[in-house]
Amino acid sequence: MNCLSAFVFVAVLFSSCHAAILPSCTSNETVSSSAGTCSGDLAKFEYFGVNESGAEFGSDNIPGVLGTDYIFPSESSIDYFVDLGFNFFRLPFLLERLAPPATGITGAFDDDYLGLIKSTVEYVTGKGAYIAIDPHNYLIYNGATLTSTSDFQTFWTNLANEFVDNEHVIFDIMNEPYTVNASVVFNMNQAAIDGIRSTGATQLILAEGTSWTGAWTWTTSGNSDYFGNIKDSANNTAIEMHQYLDSDGSGTSATCVSSTIGAERLAAATAWLEETGLKGFLGEIGAGSNDVWFAFTQCSHESSAYNLFSMQAVFGALCSMQQSGVWIGASWWAAGPWWGTYFQSIEPPSGAAIADILPQSLEPFL
Ligand SMILES: *[C@@H]1O[C@H](CO)[C@@H](O)[C@H](O)[C@H]1NC(C)=O
Ligand SMILES: *[C@@H]1O[C@H](CO)[C@@H](O)[C@H](O)[C@H]1NC(C)=O
Ligand SMILES: *[C@@H]1O[C@H](CO)[C@@H](O)[C@H](O)[C@H]1NC(C)=O
Ligand SMILES: CC(=O)N[C@H]1CO[C@H](CO)[C@@H](O)[C@@H]1O
């Protein structure tokens, strides 16, 4: 990747970002331009790529206007990642745009919005890559939490029927539920799986838990009490979790916790996957890319130095996943045409994560 010539990391020698070390921050030291090394018997990801965000934007404008309130991914962005060797895209969309509230979640789909989803699906899968279609609704539809398993089963039966013939489509049941407990979320997932399989579809399904499906809280949120019992007649469901590396795990701050936080936050979830024999999928991971970690400003204003801990933390997370062998995929949050200067944007050509995170922390795991 020609990293050596691209970056010179100027950093001081300490391993975590705590304000306490500020007073001793008296010298810069050049550290390796690599985010790390990952050794052992590594299981490559079957699916590895990015979220392509945009079709779920403008959720306060339903249905909203294409190009004004929401947008679909650009073909050039998809080409860029496929050319690098990535083979997975996650496509968030809004339920209310696909199944308009006037006729409800079990009603007919909006032809235009479905057509746009299908265009992106066909573009991605035409390139040999995989695409997860993701109702990005937090289990909330038209202002109310979805709790009817039969309605949800009907919705997913209808949606799977649209894509049953495309083997590269992945069904991501529901993005980040958080308003109801793990038991309810589990039952909704099970209903969706049953609906999808009733169509004859055999593709990969991704099931997300409550508590924003956080990996770091998987074993304390109640999810681990239920999701071990998931039943799939096609034996092709993986558990999707998300993990951000800022202090509250929300992905809203560019400030890293430490260079090892990624692997640390995944450890309990990885152990649970090993115990249950289920496969994991890290559907969203993200960390600061232009992380202005204030302690460094004492020593260096080199922007590449600010990235170091985020890069190491993401690298360490993916390394631990491939070492464990229980994670089949991962995807960065996020690409998409409308992110602007968002610190996790990986939209080419100049999203904040393109310069360092992509070559240093993601591409080594292709
Ligand atoms: C989960 O929520 C449902 C619906 O509110 C409730 O009936 C059930 O008792 C809750 N289960 C647990 C384990 O808290
Ligand atoms: C399900 O698939 C996994 C591999 O993904 C395999 O190890 C396991 O034995 C299968 N289970 C059943 C019940 O077929
Ligand atoms: C650290 O490096 C920066 C950028 O090269 C420089 O401005 C700063 O003076 C250096 N600080 C120390 C303490 O060497
Ligand atoms: C952490 C993160 O990027 N969250 C985003 C997830 O997607 C929604 C909808 O696009 C955004 O509003 C969040 O900021």
Side-chain angles (χ1 to χ4, degrees):
M1 282 307 110
N2 210 6
C3 313
L4 281 169
S5 59
F7 311 110
V8 177
F9 292 109
V10 181
V12 284
L13 250 198
F14 34 72
S15 60
S16 67
C17 35
H18 294 297
I21 45 72
L22 268 176
S24 59
C25 186
T26 54
S27 67
N28 293 321
E29 182 153 334
T30 303
V31 299
S32 162
S33 68
S34 158
T37 53
C38 187
S39 55
D41 188 9
L42 304 183
K44 289 289 180 189
F45 298 128
E46 288 171 54
Y47 312 93
F48 192 23
V50 300
N51 285 269
E52 278 284 0
S53 191
E56 84 287 21
F57 274 39
S59 57
D60 45 2
N61 264 335
I62 302 296
V65 176
L66 175 66
T68 303
D69 300 301
Y70 63 94
I71 186 87
F72 276 76
S74 68
E75 294 182 349
S76 61
S77 175
I78 291 162
D79 294 347
Y80 177 86
F81 292 106
V82 170
D83 290 348
L84 287 176
F86 291 95
N87 70 346
F88 174 84
F89 298 89
R90 182 164 177 259
L91 181 70
F93 67 87
L94 276 193
L95 279 179
E96 294 87 349
R97 291 195 178 120
L98 181 64
T103 43
I105 187 89
T106 59
F109 293 148
D110 179 87
D111 283 339
D112 293 338
Y113 196 70
L114 178 63
L116 291 163
I117 293 174
K118 283 190 168 172
S119 296
T120 298
V121 164
E122 277 153 27
Y123 191 78
V124 166
T125 62
K127 304 207 92 172
Y130 293 85
I131 185 162
I133 50 174
D134 153 39
H136 212 72
N137 276 67
Y138 310 88
L139 205 59
I140 298 166
Y141 172 76
N142 197 25
T145 296
L146 287 168
T147 53
S148 162
T149 50
S150 65
D151 284 0
F152 199 51
Q153 180 160 341
T154 300
F155 166 78
W156 264 110
T157 304
N158 294 344
L159 189 55
N161 263 322
E162 299 288 342
F163 295 99
V164 62
D165 294 327
N166 189 333
E167 286 174 12
H168 280 217
V169 173
I170 295 169
F171 302 118
D172 185 340
I173 294 170
M174 176 53 64
N175 182 66
E176 299 191 352
Y178 68 93
T179 57
V180 278
N181 65 33
S183 164
V184 173
V185 175
F186 171 78
N187 290 335
M188 295 294 276
N189 272 281
Q190 187 61 62
I193 292 169
D194 296 344
I196 292 166
R197 294 307 181 218
S198 74
T199 68
T202 56
Q203 297 100 316
L204 178 64
I205 296 176
L206 300 174
E208 303 186 33
T210 194
S211 226
W212 297 273
T213 207
W216 66 329
T217 53
W218 190 262
T219 59
T220 54
S221 58
N223 286 326
S224 60
D225 296 336
Y226 296 93
F227 280 77
N229 298 321
I230 208 126
K231 299 277 186 299
D232 175 3
S233 58
N235 190 26
N236 197 17
T237 294
I239 306 299
E240 175 172 336
M241 303 185 201
H242 296 171
Q243 191 62 63
Y244 292 95
L245 306 181
D246 49 352
S247 62
D248 67 358
S250 68
T252 52
S253 162
T255 303
C256 70
V257 174
S258 76
S259 60
T260 54
I261 193 67
E264 286 162 22
R265 284 190 174 164
L266 295 182
T270 298
W272 178 83
L273 290 166
E274 285 165 351
E275 263 165 48
T276 58
L278 290 165
K279 297 296 182 199
F281 196 111
L282 197 62
E284 294 183 16
I285 181 170
S289 320
N290 53 356
D291 178 353
V292 183
W293 177 48
F294 66 91
F296 269 119
T297 63
Q298 294 280 307
C299 287
S300 167
H301 292 274
E302 300 279 333
S303 62
S304 50
Y306 305 150
N307 292 340
L308 194 59
F309 291 124
S310 292
M311 287 167 44
Q312 291 176 337
V314 172
F315 185 97
L318 297 176
C319 177
S320 74
M321 291 166 70
Q322 293 203 341
Q323 285 170 335
S324 77
V326 295
W327 295 90
I328 59 172
S331 103
W332 180 261
W333 186 274
W338 280 358
W339 284 123
T341 57
Y342 175 48
F343 64 89
Q344 288 180 182
S345 171
I346 201 163
E347 180 75 351
S350 55
I354 293 279
D356 295 351
I357 293 272
L358 175 63
Q360 298 287 339
S361 309
L362 302 180
E363 289 188 69
F365 298 100
L366 276 168

